[in-house]
Amino acid sequence: ARKHQPDHIKLLLVAEAPPCDGERYFYYPDVEQHDWLYRYVWQALSGQKPEKNEKAANLKRLRDAGVFLIDLCEEDIAKPKLKDLEPHAPGLVERAKKLSPDHVVVIKATVYDAAFAPLKDAGLPVIDERIPFPSSGQQKNFLESFTRAAKKAGVSID
C-alpha cells in the first residue's frame, strides 16, 4: 500500500481489514475475483466500470487523486476471528492522524459503528455517511452512498 500512498491524502478510505485471501488485497494489481472494493470505489469516483487489465494504472490514478485506503484492523479478521472491532479504533485513530487526510470515509456498517465516533471525537474530518461494503447485493447502495461522500470531499477522477 505504501507505494500507492499520495503525498497529500484528500480522501482516506477506512475498510475493515485485509481480506482473508491474501490474493485479493485492494492494492494488488492482478486480483482474479472478488475485487469488490476496488471495482466499486473506481466506478464511484470515475463513473466507469474498471477494465481488469487497467487496475495498475487505475491505482496510480487513485493515488494521484489523493485517495488512500487503510484498514481498521491491520491483520485479516480470520486471524484471530474478530467479533468486536471497537478495540481497534484507538490504533486506527493514531494511524489516521499521522496521515493528515482532508476527509475520511468509513466503509462497512460494522466499521462505521466501531470507528466513526472515535475518529470524529479525535477531530478527524470524517464524513457522516454510512457506506455498506460493496458485495452481497449492496453494490448499488455502496455506489450511491460512496458517491455522496466523495462529492462532499470534492474528490473524483476524470
Side-chain angles (χ1 to χ4, degrees):
R2 294 266 182 247
K3 78 176 194 174
H4 296 287
Q5 184 175 331
D7 293 332
H8 175 79
I9 299 171
K10 294 179 183 174
L11 183 59
L12 179 65
L13 313 179
V14 177
E16 185 176 48
C20 299
D21 178 355
E23 300 295 314
R24 296 187 303 117
Y25 187 55
F26 183 88
Y27 285 113
Y28 290 166
D30 298 314
V31 176
E32 290 298 318
Q33 58 183 352
H34 308 298
D35 204 4
W36 304 112
L37 188 56
Y38 155 73
R39 288 175 47 207
Y40 286 95
V41 164
W42 178 260
Q43 186 173 340
L45 293 175
S46 72
Q48 301 172 351
K49 290 185 178 185
E51 296 293 329
K52 187 175 175 150
N53 64 343
E54 295 179 351
K55 185 173 181 183
N58 290 348
L59 289 172
K60 289 177 185 173
R61 289 180 68 193
L62 287 170
R63 181 195 61 211
D64 294 347
V67 178
F68 189 59
L69 173 114
I70 63 173
D71 292 300
L72 171 61
C73 304
E74 293 186 276
E75 61 182 67
D76 79 63
I77 59 172
K79 300 177 188 174
K81 291 230 179 232
L82 299 175
K83 293 185 179 169
D84 186 10
L85 299 176
E86 290 178 14
H88 298 274
L92 169 68
V93 167
E94 291 308 310
R95 287 181 284 124
K97 280 182 175 180
K98 289 177 184 175
L99 295 171
S100 301
D102 291 347
H103 300 279
V104 179
V105 295
V106 179
I107 298 168
K108 195 171 180 188
T110 55
V111 179
Y112 181 96
D113 293 345
F116 178 79
L119 289 165
K120 184 175 181 172
D121 292 348
L124 285 154
V126 61
I127 294 172
D128 191 1
E129 184 76 43
R130 195 175 178 95
I131 303 170
F133 191 82
S135 68
S136 302
Q138 292 295 319
Q139 292 87 339
K140 182 180 179 195
N141 292 334
F142 176 89
L143 283 172
E144 291 171 356
S145 57
F146 185 80
T147 299
R148 277 193 304 271
K151 284 182 180 178
K152 289 176 188 175
V155 175
S156 67
I157 296 174
D158 299 321

